[in-house]
Amino acid sequence: MNEMLQQFFHIDNFIPTAELLPMVGSLLLNSVVVWVLVHFFYYPKGHRRDYYFTFVLLSVSIFMLIYLLLGNSADMGIGAALGLFAIFGIIRYRTECVPIREMTYLFFIVALSVLNAKTGDLNFMSRIIINLIMILVVWGAENHLSAYREGCKFVKYDNIDLIQPERYEELKADLEKRLGVKITRVDVGAVDFLTDMTMLRVFYEDPDHRIKAVDRLTKIPTDNAF
């Protein structure tokens, strides 16, 4: 017992190894880049703190897993990352309908964490350039490919008499009065003549230019999803 304690408290066990500093530097770089992506690109449009929390912690866990367990492997990192992503998608995220934008960010952050964990043979400037390229790609996509100037919400509508094509303007006027927004167009979906209800997809001018996940709901959730 004493011998075990002496081995545990031996001074060599409390001296940082030579591999610790590169790992901390790579982790810091990865964490800063992920925070920039989530805080400045994802969150201003998504405003989902639960995904903010998920992205940050997932990036750290993926980085540490790949760096410590597969850091010396030349061909296992990407395969392991894709396998982890599939496991997360099947086990956890199957319980909630994850929007495509959040799923894309999830995959992007997993890939970024794997790259930062597997590029230890490159110098620090090269890794910074790689991460800057990733940030520029997200910036370009958010500012030029996904300009959300038009909002969209699903509405269960009770006045099915107005869904007829010749009464389209009356339908828009009624929805604008009820919703208090400037409607650009309306798509009519399923119609239930037994309950006189129909499902509409309403597009409206959104001055906030951000994605509202609640607009995609077709029924009131039973739990505190937001």
Side-chain angles (χ1 to χ4, degrees), residues 19-20 30 78 81 101 110 114-115 119-120 140 144 153 164-165 191 193-194 196 202 215:
E19 295 81 8
L20 182 62
N30 182 73
I78 301 299
R101 183 169 182 266
V110 169
V114 172
L115 286 175
T119 54
H144 300 287
K153 65 171 73 243
Q164 300 175 11
V191 180
F193 289 106
L194 296 178
D196 289 338
V202 180
D215 283 350

Side-chain angles (χ1 to χ4, degrees), residues 32-33 36-37 41 108 130-140:
V32 169
V33 172
V36 169
L37 293 175
F41 297 108
F108 191 88
I130 292 174
N131 282 270
L132 286 177
I133 292 174
M134 303 289 276
I135 292 176
L136 288 174
V137 169
V138 176
W139 174 84

